[in-house]
Amino acid sequence: MASLADLALLLPIFAVGAGLIGYGLLALGQLLRIRRGAGTPATDASRALVTLEGTAVGVDDATVTSPLTGREALWYSYRVDGHGGDLTRPDWTPVAEGRDGRVFGVETDGDTVRVDPDGADVELDPTDEVDVVADPADVADLRSVAATVTVDEPAESVDVGVATLDAGERYRLLERRIEVGDALAVTGGASVNAAGGPGVLLRGSTDGGLLARFLGVPFVVASPRGADASEQLRGRVLIGLVVGLPLVMLSLVYLFPP
């Protein structure tokens, strides 16, 4: 049997390992429920599991305009990154970022389900992206993404509407958008704010604190066959079991040596 000093060290390790295993098993149960297919909720529910694919459509002609690209969309997220590190291992640091959106519809099997992107994890590939070295004398690449490009020659900088880029520095501009006609997959845990069925409004939980977000099922809007809620849950299962099991086994071996 281990000494008191060993117990003081090993018991916390065992507790952490057991907690991680529990976290992984919880995620595994959530993953299996999503895999069985939750469909569209048929009744009111504070938290329901949904799995649906369809085409993005507008709701009441509500759109937003990106301040970076000037494009109208149902939802957008932009980011301007400054370059650090070296050419082989860039370390991008956000210089400016923002997102906005409106409730939009996902048309599936003849019905339209409304989705509120606020509180959702939107996992989409960039719609527009450019990696450039800011040069006031050559802004063609910047104009391929940014709607507004203003050169300030005395200051040796270029303004792209949402950020000012210093000449000679490397930047990455990227934007993700949801536009009418895009194919989308909506998966995960959602609050249902309607009577259910066609026209139901789904939104991610924005309350409950960090613990609820950590343990709950994420609400993800992605491309079909993209990084949906199942992928996030698989990551939790791996972390819980791959890290937790060795910690528990190691502590048990030292607590109860053969």
Side-chain angles (χ1 to χ4, degrees), residues 85-132:
D86 55 39
L87 292 176
T88 58
R89 299 183 62 184
D91 181 16
W92 297 107
T93 302
V95 174
E97 56 187 331
R99 60 180 278 172
D100 195 10
R102 297 290 182 268
V103 172
F104 59 86
V106 176
E107 195 173 75
T108 175
D109 296 329
D111 297 326
T112 299
V113 176
R114 294 177 297 150
V115 176
D116 186 345
D118 187 27
D121 294 336
V122 182
E123 302 287 349
L124 297 171
D125 293 331
T127 310
D128 292 306
E129 182 175 7
V130 65
D131 183 344
V132 299

Side-chain angles (χ1 to χ4, degrees), residues 129-201:
E129 182 175 7
V130 65
D131 183 344
V132 299
V133 174
D135 182 0
D138 183 4
V139 295
D141 287 340
L142 288 174
R143 290 190 188 280
S144 69
V145 171
T148 302
V149 178
T150 305
V151 175
D152 188 340
E153 292 185 357
E156 296 186 331
S157 64
V158 181
D159 189 297
V160 293
V162 297
T164 299
L165 314 182
D166 296 327
E169 298 295 326
R170 184 180 173 190
Y171 295 92
R172 179 177 64 180
L173 287 67
L174 57 88
E175 180 169 284
R176 296 173 173 85
R177 290 190 302 273
I178 296 176
E179 300 175 307
V180 173
D182 286 351
L184 297 176
V186 181
T187 58
S191 298
V192 183
N193 293 31
V200 64
L201 173 62

Side-chain angles (χ1 to χ4, degrees), residues 30-31 33-43 45-53 106 113-115 185-193 196-197 200-204 217-221 228-230 233:
Q30 295 166 337
L31 176 61
R33 290 172 62 193
I34 287 183
R35 284 291 183 85
R36 285 198 297 266
T40 303
T43 59
S46 58
R47 293 293 285 175
L49 290 180
V50 297
T51 302
L52 59 95
E53 292 186 5
V106 176
V113 176
R114 294 177 297 150
V115 176
V186 181
T187 58
S191 298
V192 183
N193 293 31
V200 64
L201 173 62
L202 307 177
R203 59 162 48 99
V217 180
F219 181 54
V220 180
V221 179
D228 61 6
S230 297
L233 291 174

